[in-house]
Amino acid sequence: MTTRVAHCKTEYMRNPIGLDVLKPRFFWQLEADKQEVVQSAYHIIVASSREKLANDQADMWDSGKVSSNASTHIPYEGQPLESEGEYYWKVRVWDGAGAVTEWSETAFWMMGILSRGDWKAQWIGRKSEPGALMQPSPFFRKSFEVKKKVRRAIAYATALGVYDLHVNGERIGDRFAPGWTDYNIRVQVQAVDITDKLKGGDNAFGVILGDGWYAGTVGFLGDKVYGERPFFLMQVSLDYEDGTKEKVITDRSWTTARGPIQYSDMIKGEAYDAREELTGWHEPGYVDAAWETPDVRSGYNGLLVAAIEPPIRITKTMKPISMKKTAAGTYIYDMGQNMVGWTAVTVQGERGTMITLSHAEILNPDGTLYVDNLREACQQDHYILKGEGLESYEPHFTFHGFRYVELIGYPGEPDLDTITGKVVHSDTPVTGKLETSDAMVNQLYSNITWGQRGNFLSVPTDCPQRDERLGWTGDAQIFARTAAYNMDVSRFFSKYVWDMVDCQQPSGAFTDVAPDAGWIRHKNWNTRLNWFAPDNSGWGDAGVIIPWTIYLMYGDVRILETHYEAMGKWVHYLKNTTDELVRPGYANYADWLSIGADTPNEVLATAYFAYSTKLLAQIAGVLGKNEEADQYQALFGDIAAAFRKAFVAEDGRIHGDTQTVYVLALQFGLLTEEQRGQARERLVADIQGRGNRLSTGFLGVGYLLPALTDNGCLDVAYKLLTQEAFPSWMYSIKHGATTIWERWDGWTEEQGFQTPSMNSFNHYSLGSVGEWMFRYMAGIEADPAAPGFQHVIIRPKPGGNLSWVKASYESLYGVVTVEWRLSEDGDFHLQVNVPANTTATIHVPGPSAAVHKVGSGSYVFENVSMLN
């Protein structure tokens, strides 16, 4: 009967390096072989070396025995942390009976460069080549000598643009670093441990620089949104065994040249001429006498911050499932899955031969690639052979959204091994699993997760294929809870909230996209769009909803503290732009892409104003700002009253009479008890009048099934979930969808493809139903009173044609699992696993429903009266 401490993390990460948080937070889990295990106290010690920690010499911090059950978000409270300092920690805990565990394994973290004055490196770039429509990617190198035995070597690197870093010929680090931020305000710095990459004597750094979001094409906003050309900054700290230190920095001593990458653009694809390869350019001994001196930028006024977001990586390699030769002599591959990333190819042929890899999500009826929906994007990569035997190629600074790949100009006969697909996204570890007895429901869940993979790339983008790929805030907020069940998005959304705050307007308005990248300017000056709204309800509200979601799912109070002022500015802005607390109807998007329904903007805007205010009241309460909490709660009550006065008729009809107006009014708590019943009836009548079909768009869809379920209409929710007729989730699946479509009518049997001007087949917004699948169908729910799943609410809602559901969610405390099944006789069986140091309230459904309050452990419940 033992309890042990495991999975120690600092700032959500295992042994992170390069932090700039002055009070980093500690996390751990308890593993136990018995039930009802609780932590009654903890003891953390922190030392400046591994040896000191091993000897229990806590020269940085000794927390002493702290009576607390907290095992997440424990802030460091020790001696001041130093720039580039390294620190080691361990923890032990006492259980409910007072027994103490062994110390955990040693964990560590390293600080980054904390002061601007500690940066000695310079920004280096390469002058533009005249006349080139798109610039070649510049190559840089630097030779240096290691004369002593290295104890530690850390490279701190970033770019205005994106970069690939090589040490002695080996590529290290992650993709598309440093990620996308508002470069006018901040850029993220990656810290990379290169200790084991160096050797005594001659060494070399090699860097390839891409335009990325900084100087390349950003959606339909054009290129050079932030700057004309990219720049690179790196400072390498070499700590020797004898205690001496040395730095290698970017400066004029580096050299630069053009290489084989003719251009590499996020939206326009890549061209690579292997005849111009620089063999050995990133290795010691390479002769770079013909290379140029880099251009040195005089400075940068933005913040240099530690990377907050998880790294972008290749997370999966896909093999095509079929190949077909076309009449034109090209080859079309089916990857079997709509995915995001790129294609790697192997080829052998004559020098100068050019092959092209063209990418698309779907095929035309004649079997050709459907590329009309790409608009100005060009999902093509071109490779020119050097003709020296077997060659392999994959692009560098571009990505595509695709299921189908057309191989053009290939010499010889390719086969299924000729290409592979590389799945690329922000590496947010999978935390959720869900499976049911219904194959189509399982496919829906798969489509939701693949949509998240494809669009969570530094920011939550709207689509990965056409010339857009922007961080739309409305899409992100409606999907955030689903995203947090599927994957660990704690750091991903922590960074994205900074993106939103960085482009918050002086008025207090949050923007439609983040980073803004010129969208405000674009929409205000584009006469064709005629979109001039200074804010958009459901989009700007992401600035409150996403921080609250991160608090609810991870128990993160700091994100609320950090952005409380920004959230308050948003709510006050909304209040100041009302007519007696009713918001105006100028919004551009409304319930975007609803189908056969038109929700009035003023109803939507007032409902979301109320919801942001309601959440801010709760947030103020969490932060102990009780007076402000009362004020915001009173304001919410006043807004709800104004909503009812302006929009709700005596018979319960809400202005607009759409499914979405009733759903939002119910979910946001805007109605009296009598009106709730009326709203439920009108909502159900509308759904049934459409043949059990939905009409909700981006903003309504996430709340549709929860509103029905919370108001006693579970059967209607299940009918919508499994509806196969258009419009529905299953309609797209019946027609081969492997990701969530942007539009319900992206393709229909009657009309074919919708307008190519806006028709993505990988767009996660309508996948926000995943939240309902976890919270209601499986029954894994967070408790706002004990967030982060310290207290778990288990309340499965069996229904529809499902005979069983298996789901799990890996919380910060451990894995919560729920499995339920219904026998043919209607007997209900429920199996639950509750992690150590948490509690659960388990609701067993049925006519003889029961509620059980339990501690950690595994439990089985039987209810033989579901059909009685």
Side-chain angles (χ1 to χ4, degrees):
M1 302 282 276
T2 58
T3 300
R4 61 184 293 269
V5 181
H7 308 297
C8 293
K9 294 181 179 180
T10 310
E11 283 300 310
Y12 292 105
M13 295 174 278
R14 289 179 187 247
N15 302 332
I17 65 174
L19 296 184
D20 59 3
V21 181
L22 298 182
K23 287 191 174 184
R25 295 163 294 177
F26 302 130
F27 303 72
W28 61 86
Q29 292 180 11
L30 300 186
E31 293 181 346
D33 55 9
K34 57 183 177 180
Q35 303 220 131
E36 300 192 353
V37 170
V38 295
Q39 171 190 300
S40 61
Y42 66 78
H43 182 196
I44 301 170
I45 60 173
V46 182
S48 57
S49 72
R50 192 178 292 273
E51 293 73 25
K52 287 180 179 177
L53 189 75
N55 292 322
D56 296 340
Q57 297 176 24
D59 61 328
M60 294 304 298
W61 185 42
D62 187 334
S63 73
K65 183 179 180 180
V66 179
S67 295
S68 171
N69 67 349
S71 56
T72 68
H73 302 94
I74 311 298
Y76 170 79
E77 298 287 359
Q79 298 296 317
L81 302 174
E82 296 181 357
S83 189
E84 300 189 68
E86 54 188 282
Y87 304 98
Y88 300 83
W89 68 280
K90 60 186 178 181
V91 59
R92 59 179 177 174
V93 308
W94 285 260
D95 66 14
V100 64
T101 67
E102 298 290 326
W103 286 105
S104 68
E105 292 184 355
T106 297
F108 71 87
W109 83 93
M110 297 184 194
M111 301 301 289
I113 299 174
L114 300 181
S115 164
R116 195 59 171 260
D118 291 337
W119 278 99
K120 306 304 178 187
Q122 296 176 294
W123 293 91
I124 59 173
R126 184 172 182 263
K127 286 187 167 61
S128 299
E129 296 189 2
L133 186 62
M134 287 191 284
Q135 292 292 318
S137 297
F139 284 53
F140 301 85
R141 62 172 272 110
K142 167 72 175 179
S143 295
F144 63 100
E145 187 178 0
V146 172
K147 299 177 182 178
K148 308 174 187 177
K149 186 169 178 56
V150 176
R151 183 187 71 81
R152 185 184 78 163
I154 307 294
Y156 302 95
T158 189
L160 299 172
V162 290
Y163 67 88
D164 276 354
L165 175 62
H166 302 254
V167 180
N168 293 330
E170 180 183 350
R171 189 192 181 286
I172 61 172
D174 302 301
R175 306 285 174 159
F176 301 118
W180 186 8
T181 53
D182 184 335
Y183 301 99
N184 299 316
I185 295 178
R186 73 183 67 231
V187 66
Q188 298 181 108
V189 176
Q190 285 71 44
V192 185
D193 189 338
I194 60 170
T195 309
D196 61 354
K197 308 297 181 187
L198 301 182
K199 58 186 181 181
D202 292 336
N203 291 264
F205 288 123
V207 172
I208 313 173
L209 201 51
D211 290 343
W213 296 278
Y214 180 77
T217 308
V218 178
F220 47 73
L221 302 173
D223 64 353
K224 301 176 176 57
V225 168
Y226 297 99
E228 290 287 320
R229 55 202 167 98
F231 287 85
F232 179 66
L233 180 77
M234 184 167 75
Q235 183 160 303
V236 182
S237 295
L238 302 177
D239 293 2
Y240 296 111
E241 292 280 9
D242 66 2
T244 59
K245 300 176 182 291
E246 188 178 356
K247 292 190 188 304
V248 181
I249 61 173
T250 46
D251 58 14
R252 292 184 188 276
S253 69
W254 286 57
T255 56
T256 183
R258 68 171 289 159
I261 304 174
Q262 309 303 297
Y263 63 85
S264 190
D265 185 270
M266 296 278 194
I267 302 292
K268 301 294 186 179
E270 179 171 304
Y272 186 99
D273 190 342
R275 298 171 300 181
E276 297 186 22
E277 284 183 344
L278 307 167
T279 305
W281 69 277
H282 42 24
E283 296 174 351
Y286 179 82
V287 178
D288 60 3
W291 285 36
E292 308 156 17
T293 301
D295 191 28
V296 175
R297 179 185 169 115
S298 54
Y300 169 67
N301 286 331
L303 300 171
L304 296 172
V305 301
I308 302 171
E309 67 183 69
I312 299 168
R313 291 178 175 142
I314 297 170
T315 62
K316 190 177 180 68
T317 298
M318 305 282 286
K319 293 283 189 180
I321 62 171
S322 68
M323 179 191 77
K324 183 179 180 181
K325 188 172 184 178
T326 69
T330 65
Y331 301 86
I332 293 182
Y333 289 84
D334 181 0
M335 303 306 297
Q337 172 65 53
N338 197 14
M339 55 175 278
V340 172
W342 53 75
T343 308
V345 61
T346 55
V347 59
Q348 186 167 345
E350 291 185 9
R351 182 178 178 84
T353 301
M354 185 175 82
I355 63 171
T356 296
L357 295 155
S358 189
H359 303 80
E361 296 180 295
I362 206 162
L363 298 178
N364 287 307
D366 65 359
T368 58
L369 297 189
Y370 175 71
V371 295
D372 293 351
N373 67 333
L374 299 182
R375 302 192 305 211
E376 295 299 315
C378 181
Q379 293 204 125
Q380 291 188 335
D381 302 318
H382 308 284
Y383 179 74
I384 299 175
L385 279 66
K386 58 187 172 184
E388 298 176 7
L390 193 64
E391 305 175 41
S392 60
Y393 163 75
E394 60 185 271
H396 297 74
F397 304 119
T398 190
F399 66 93
H400 312 300
F402 65 99
R403 172 173 173 170
Y404 299 95
V405 185
E406 186 171 13
L407 183 55
I408 305 167
Y410 190 85
E413 292 289 329
D415 57 27
L416 287 177
D417 293 323
T418 300
I419 71 166
T420 53
K422 302 295 181 74
V423 178
V424 180
H425 58 92
S426 293
D427 192 6
T428 50
V430 172
T431 50
K433 296 178 182 177
L434 191 146
E435 187 182 4
T436 78
S437 56
D438 187 316
M440 289 186 71
V441 174
N442 296 341
Q443 185 63 51
L444 172 59
Y445 182 66
S446 175
N447 290 9
I448 293 168
T449 58
W450 274 100
Q452 182 170 340
R453 281 193 188 96
N455 285 291
F456 277 33
L457 198 151
S458 188
V459 303
T461 61
D462 58 315
C463 59
Q465 72 300 96
R466 67 177 180 234
D467 62 338
E468 192 159 349
R469 313 184 195 185
L470 300 174
W472 287 94
T473 51
D475 308 36
Q477 65 86 5
I478 201 67
F479 189 75
R481 189 81 184 273
T482 298
Y485 274 111
N486 294 337
M487 301 177 193
D488 179 357
V489 292
S490 53
R491 295 169 57 217
F492 181 85
F493 273 127
S494 293
K495 180 264 185 184
Y496 185 62
V497 173
W498 274 116
D499 292 332
M500 288 190 284
V501 171
D502 283 347
C503 55
Q504 187 174 22
Q505 299 299 287
S507 64
F510 283 116
T511 54
D512 308 336
V513 300
D516 174 67
W519 168 247
I520 293 174
R521 182 175 68 249
H522 176 79
K523 76 169 187 174
N524 283 343
W525 290 94
N526 189 310
T527 54
R528 179 186 62 81
L529 273 179
N530 198 31
W531 281 355
F532 307 123
D535 65 87
N536 274 285
S537 52
W539 274 257
D541 298 280
V544 178
I545 294 170
I546 293 178
W548 174 255
T549 302
I550 297 304
Y551 168 73
L552 191 63
M553 295 297 285
Y554 302 105
D556 194 328
V557 176
R558 187 173 286 179
I559 196 170
L560 304 182
E561 293 171 337
T562 302
H563 301 296
Y564 181 74
E565 182 180 353
M567 292 186 276
K569 285 180 180 177
W570 167 247
V571 168
H572 286 285
Y573 164 79
L574 294 178
K575 182 183 177 184
N576 292 334
T577 51
T578 65
D579 181 3
E580 295 183 346
L581 299 182
V582 173
R583 292 272 293 138
Y586 56 54
N588 300 134
Y589 316 132
D591 189 24
W592 188 245
L593 298 183
S594 58
I595 192 90
D598 189 10
T599 296
N601 277 327
E602 60 272 25
V603 179
L604 199 72
T606 306
Y608 262 98
F609 169 34
Y611 187 48
S612 279
T613 305
K614 183 180 187 178
L615 291 184
L616 191 56
Q618 293 175 258
I619 290 166
V622 169
L623 299 180
K625 301 177 184 292
N626 297 330
E627 187 175 335
E628 292 177 38
D630 291 341
Q631 291 170 353
Y632 286 125
Q633 186 60 38
L635 176 58
F636 166 73
D638 293 342
I639 301 166
F643 180 93
R644 295 191 294 271
K645 179 181 177 182
F647 303 127
V648 185
E650 283 190 19
D651 64 356
R653 184 185 186 278
I654 299 177
H655 178 50
D657 202 29
T658 64
Q659 292 177 18
T660 292
V661 299
Y662 296 110
V663 164
L664 296 188
L666 287 167
Q667 284 301 98
F668 295 169
L670 305 180
L671 305 176
T672 65
E673 197 58 40
E674 181 184 3
Q675 290 170 338
R676 287 185 69 85
Q678 293 171 323
R680 180 185 68 242
E681 290 174 8
R682 297 194 73 90
L683 172 61
V684 171
D686 187 283
I687 293 167
Q688 292 176 340
R690 296 171 184 266
N692 288 316
R693 298 178 205 177
L694 49 71
S695 67
T696 47
F698 278 27
L699 296 186
V701 69
Y703 300 111
L704 176 59
L705 301 196
L708 289 166
T709 308
D710 288 343
N711 288 278
C713 303
L714 179 66
D715 57 330
V716 182
Y718 269 106
K719 285 175 183 175
L720 289 176
L721 178 73
T722 55
Q723 173 65 261
E724 296 183 15
F726 171 81
S728 67
W729 288 284
M730 298 305 170
Y731 184 81
S732 64
I733 290 171
K734 276 178 62 180
H735 293 94
T738 60
T739 44
I740 299 294
W741 293 355
E742 177 178 22
R743 327 175 61 115
W744 297 114
D745 58 353
W747 181 91
T748 62
E749 292 169 292
E750 292 77 20
Q751 302 295 325
F753 291 113
Q754 243 286 1
T755 170
S757 65
M758 194 183 68
N759 197 19
S760 162
F761 292 96
N762 189 352
H763 199 120
Y764 58 74
S765 294
L766 300 179
S768 55
V769 68
E771 173 187 340
W772 180 87
M773 295 166 76
F774 271 101
R775 292 178 57 203
Y776 294 86
M777 186 176 75
I780 302 175
E781 174 68 295
D783 181 356
F789 294 88
Q790 187 169 38
H791 177 250
V792 190
I793 299 170
I794 305 293
R795 187 161 34 205
K797 301 278 189 181
N801 63 354
L802 299 184
S803 58
W804 58 264
V805 169
K806 298 178 183 178
S808 66
Y809 171 67
E810 186 174 351
S811 75
L812 292 176
Y813 295 91
V815 179
V816 180
T817 60
V818 173
E819 296 185 22
W820 63 257
R821 68 175 182 266
L822 274 171
S823 72
E824 292 182 2
D825 297 328
D827 295 344
F828 183 77
H829 176 94
L830 175 65
Q831 187 171 337
V832 174
N833 186 74
V834 181
N837 201 33
T838 69
T839 58
T841 301
I842 301 172
H843 299 257
V844 182
S848 56
V851 178
H852 304 269
K853 296 189 176 183
V854 302
S856 64
S858 296
Y859 302 90
V860 175
F861 302 93
E862 303 280 356
N863 188 335
V864 295
S865 57
M866 286 294 286
L867 299 183
N868 295 341

